[in-house]
């Protein structure tokens, strides 16, 4: 009889263990810098696994939608706790998140992974970007947009290195609305940017190898009006909507940024 009780106890513990383990299956990926206690940007929700659909429900769809879009409460409003429920293979998985209010710092709210309200990023106009690329300026330029998962992860890394090196500004231009192709021709505004960059730094459009292209994000280092370094796109094999940079990938990216910073400010080596 004692053996039977021990056996039943082991069965119960095994059931509880695997039951808890099942609910720990993660069917989402948080934006860089976020946590379940502080969701400030999009959540990348899995929609299918091995050709089987994952269905989502949200307790507050206006805050976190069933596609993972996050709308934060306004300044001075209370944080909102949201429960997302996923159904996969007839099983349900629940996840709780807290969405804090906006801070009122536009750049920081767009790129919360910076985790630095005293950032050195300044938004610039198209005209200012063109002026920088055609003048004798010394500048660090970031071109991208906030819905790009690589932008959200790479910009904070670039920012930390630049700030720690003593740079006073990173100039940000959002090119999402002009990076378009119509009838096999680039938007003239985007074409004007491409024309100012040497082909050695450009890439071919993935859908048309007759068109030169810049991916998001693009980082440019200028010294005396000359491009000293340019990085566009992503580190090889990094899918930012599914996983963060590995340590090796992050070190590779940091070295690219260090080389750029050293070239822009050779008087202050990047030892960070």
């Amino acid at each position: 009889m004692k053996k039977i009780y021990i056996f039943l106890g082991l069965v119960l513990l095994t059931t509880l263990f695997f039951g808890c383990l099942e609910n720990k299956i993660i069917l989402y990926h948080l934006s860089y810098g976020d946590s379940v206690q502080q969701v400030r940007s999009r959540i990348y929700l899995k929609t299918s696994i091995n050709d089987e659909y994952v269905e989502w429900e949200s307790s507050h769809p206006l805050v976190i939608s069933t596609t993972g879009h996050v709308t934060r409460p306004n300044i001075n409003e209370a944080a909102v706790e949201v429960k997302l429920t996923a159904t996969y293979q007839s099983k349900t998985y629940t996840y709780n998140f807290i969405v804090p209010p906006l801070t009122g710092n536009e750049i920081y709210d767009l790129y919360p992974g910076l985790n630095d309200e005293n950032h050195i990023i300044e938004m610039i106009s198209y005209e200012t970007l063109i002026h920088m690329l055609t003048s004798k300026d010394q500048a660090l330029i970031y071109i991208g947009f906030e819905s790009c998962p690589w932008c959200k992860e790479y910009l904070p890394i670039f920012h930390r290195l630049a700030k720690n090196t003593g740079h006073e500004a990173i100039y940000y231009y959002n090119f999402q609305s002009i990076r378009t192709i119509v009838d096999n021709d680039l938007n003239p505004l985007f074409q004007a940017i491409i024309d100012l960059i040497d082909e050695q730094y450009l890439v071919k459009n993935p859908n048309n190898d007759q068109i030169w292209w810049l991916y998001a994000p693009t980082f440019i280092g200028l010294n005396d009006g000359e491009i000293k370094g340019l990085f566009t796109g992503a580190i090889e094999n990094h899918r930012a909507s599914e996983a963060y940079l590995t340590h090796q990938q992050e070190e590779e990216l940091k070295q690219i940024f260090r080389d750029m910073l050293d070239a822009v400010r050779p008087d202050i080596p990047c030892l960070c």
Side-chain angles (χ1 to χ4, degrees):
M1 182 65 71
K2 185 177 181 181
K3 291 183 178 180
I4 293 175
Y5 285 136
I6 293 174
F7 173 75
L8 291 175
L10 289 172
V11 170
L12 178 61
L13 287 173
T14 302
T15 302
L16 288 173
F17 174 77
F18 283 103
C20 291
L21 190 61
E22 274 188 350
N23 203 47
K24 289 184 178 179
I25 293 176
I26 303 300
L27 298 174
Y28 64 86
H29 177 67
L30 294 173
S31 288
Y32 180 78
D34 278 358
S35 68
V36 295
Q37 297 294 322
Q38 188 169 241
V39 173
R40 302 164 295 179
S41 296
R42 178 180 174 181
I43 303 177
Y44 299 93
L45 305 176
K46 290 187 180 294
T47 56
S48 65
I49 302 174
N50 298 326
D51 296 326
E52 293 193 48
Y53 288 110
V54 179
E55 297 183 358
W56 289 91
E57 295 180 4
S58 172
S59 62
H60 292 80
L62 295 180
V63 180
I64 303 180
S65 74
T66 54
T67 60
H69 180 74
V70 174
T71 303
R72 293 168 63 180
N74 290 323
I75 304 170
N76 298 324
E77 292 185 348
V80 179
E81 186 171 346
V82 181
K83 180 173 76 173
L84 294 184
T85 303
T87 302
Y88 170 61
Q89 292 185 332
S90 301
K91 297 177 182 177
T92 59
Y93 305 90
T94 60
Y95 309 99
N96 295 304
F97 304 98
I98 295 176
V99 181
L102 295 168
T103 66
N105 184 321
E106 184 177 9
I107 296 293
Y108 185 46
D109 285 334
L110 292 175
Y111 294 93
L114 290 168
N115 287 321
D116 183 357
E117 291 193 58
N118 297 313
H119 59 78
I120 58 171
I121 300 170
E122 300 179 19
M123 296 184 75
I124 59 173
S125 66
Y126 176 82
E127 292 75 18
T128 299
L129 174 65
I130 295 298
H131 173 76
M132 286 182 168
L133 293 173
T134 55
S135 68
K136 296 295 184 179
D137 283 348
Q138 180 187 87
L140 298 177
I141 300 171
Y142 155 62
I143 306 174
F145 46 90
E146 63 273 9
S147 61
C148 157
W150 290 273
C151 300
K152 282 188 174 293
E153 186 164 356
Y154 293 8
L155 178 60
I157 295 171
F158 185 69
H159 176 266
R160 284 196 298 272
L161 292 174
K163 190 173 180 180
N164 289 342
T165 309
H167 288 271
E168 297 179 353
I170 298 171
Y171 298 101
Y172 164 39
Y173 176 67
N174 183 329
F175 71 168
Q176 186 173 20
S177 64
I178 69 167
R179 197 185 59 154
T180 56
I181 300 175
V182 179
D183 297 329
N184 291 321
D185 290 320
L186 286 180
N187 179 315
L189 296 176
F190 186 48
Q191 183 67 62
I193 296 173
I194 293 293
D195 290 342
L196 293 173
I197 297 174
D198 192 284
E199 288 183 0
Q200 67 173 309
Y201 295 116
L202 300 172
V203 295
K204 293 290 187 177
N205 180 275
N207 301 314
N208 186 335
D209 63 7
Q210 300 301 308
I211 295 177
W212 290 110
W213 194 251
L214 287 173
Y215 286 112
T218 290
F219 298 90
I220 302 173
L222 290 175
N223 191 343
D224 198 24
E226 181 181 347
I227 293 178
K228 295 296 186 178
L230 187 150
F231 174 82
T232 185
I235 292 296
E236 188 175 1
N237 297 323
H238 178 222
R239 298 179 62 86
S241 62
E242 298 176 3
Y244 305 124
L245 288 163
T246 64
H247 175 73
Q248 182 176 351
Q249 288 173 328
E250 183 172 340
E251 287 305 310
E252 179 183 347
L253 181 64
K254 284 181 177 179
Q255 191 56 55
I256 292 170
F257 288 159
R258 289 185 186 106
D259 291 342
M260 184 187 302
L261 294 169
D262 283 347
V264 172
R265 291 282 300 276
D267 55 316
I268 306 179
C270 183
L271 302 176
C272 41

